[in-house]
Amino acid sequence: MRILLVEDDLPLAEAVCSYLRGRSYTVDHVPTLAAARAHLVGAAYEAVLLDLHLGDGDGLSLLPLLRALPQVPVTLVLTARDQVSDRIRGLDAGADDYLVKPYDPEELLARLRAVNRRRAATHDPLVQVGALEIDLGRELVRLSGRPVLLTPKEWALLRVMAARPEHVHTREALLDALYGFDEEADSNTLEVFVSRLRRKLGRDAIATLRGQGYRLAGGGAA
């Protein structure tokens, strides 16, 4: 999951980024609404963690842009405002959920997972490609009926491909799912993760289209 954190409290932002990255999430941090808008145009995010009180305006002013994106990311409002009216205003403006500061990072992750499950339940979260069964809502993978355990990075890569299983995903798009703007990846990083997925899902699970990218091709023999 690639996450955009919009937070102008730098010590808090560093702590949240460290916690999430330590659990293999990809996180980009920006301190202003202007920077957030630029990032949202330049990259695809699955979640936005949005502080309400920012130096250049009210965080809720970002919500119309989020709702207009082709792939609407989950929006979790992070705020020190604990009045009921502020919570209602945020939810009415389009936020999926909120957390009042100070909050526990484990609760933050739990709420992200819960909102993702609710969002997926309104669509078809189950993707079947050959012998592979991928439940996007519950983050579960089965091969020929048997559960497959994936690391967070492996899941992030598979999730991107499973969301559009017939699509050829470019190297750049897949690396975006694994690393933020301020993280550098080795030249063969993507190939390493693809190889790991093939070992777990079968060597024919992911097809390589030379010069184009990768796409799901169904599970095969390991």
Side-chain angles (χ1 to χ4, degrees):
M1 175 183 287
R2 187 168 186 178
I3 299 170
L4 178 63
L5 172 63
V6 188
E7 172 62 72
D8 61 358
D9 183 330
L10 295 185
L12 174 60
E14 290 175 0
V16 171
C17 286
S18 177
Y19 179 84
L20 294 175
R21 288 169 182 161
R23 283 144 187 83
S24 297
Y25 288 88
T26 301
V27 187
D28 292 324
H29 166 244
V30 293
T32 65
L33 289 170
R37 293 188 181 98
H39 275 61
L40 287 166
V41 172
Y45 293 97
E46 294 179 77
V48 176
L49 308 179
L50 179 62
D51 184 28
L52 290 190
H53 187 63
L54 297 164
D56 59 344
D58 190 331
L60 293 185
S61 66
L62 194 66
L63 290 174
L65 171 60
L66 294 174
R67 302 277 80 83
L69 293 173
Q71 179 65 38
V72 181
V74 166
T75 306
L76 195 62
V77 166
L78 310 174
T79 177
R81 306 174 189 176
D82 57 0
Q83 293 185 356
V84 173
S85 59
D86 286 322
R87 302 176 194 175
I88 293 173
R89 192 167 68 92
L91 294 172
D92 283 347
D96 295 290
D97 202 351
Y98 66 88
L99 270 176
V100 176
K101 301 176 185 177
Y103 53 84
D104 189 308
E106 291 187 10
E107 183 182 2
L108 170 63
L109 272 185
R111 285 180 180 260
L112 276 175
R113 290 193 295 264
V115 172
N116 265 320
R117 287 195 298 270
R118 294 199 298 270
R119 180 76 64 87
T122 63
H123 303 86
D124 181 7
L126 194 63
V127 177
Q128 187 85 40
V129 185
L132 274 178
E133 186 180 279
I134 305 165
D135 190 327
L136 294 174
R138 299 169 63 195
E139 299 189 359
L140 298 175
V141 181
R142 295 182 180 87
L143 176 61
S144 300
R146 298 188 301 273
V148 179
L149 297 179
L150 301 179
T151 67
K153 287 289 190 185
E154 291 166 352
W155 169 251
L157 184 59
L158 181 63
R159 181 185 179 90
V160 171
M161 289 188 282
R164 299 175 67 188
E166 303 300 324
H167 181 72
V168 178
H169 301 270
T170 66
R171 176 184 177 84
E172 291 74 19
L174 293 175
L175 281 172
D176 277 348
L178 297 174
Y179 295 97
F181 286 118
D182 57 351
E183 297 177 281
E184 290 188 8
D186 294 335
S187 59
N188 66 339
T189 295
L190 181 59
E191 287 72 19
V192 169
F193 281 109
V194 169
S195 177
R196 289 180 183 176
L197 283 175
R198 283 174 172 154
R199 284 200 298 271
K200 293 183 177 183
L201 305 179
R203 60 176 176 268
D204 298 323
I206 300 173
T208 301
L209 286 83
R210 193 171 300 278
Q212 299 180 57
Y214 300 90
R215 69 171 174 81
L216 286 182

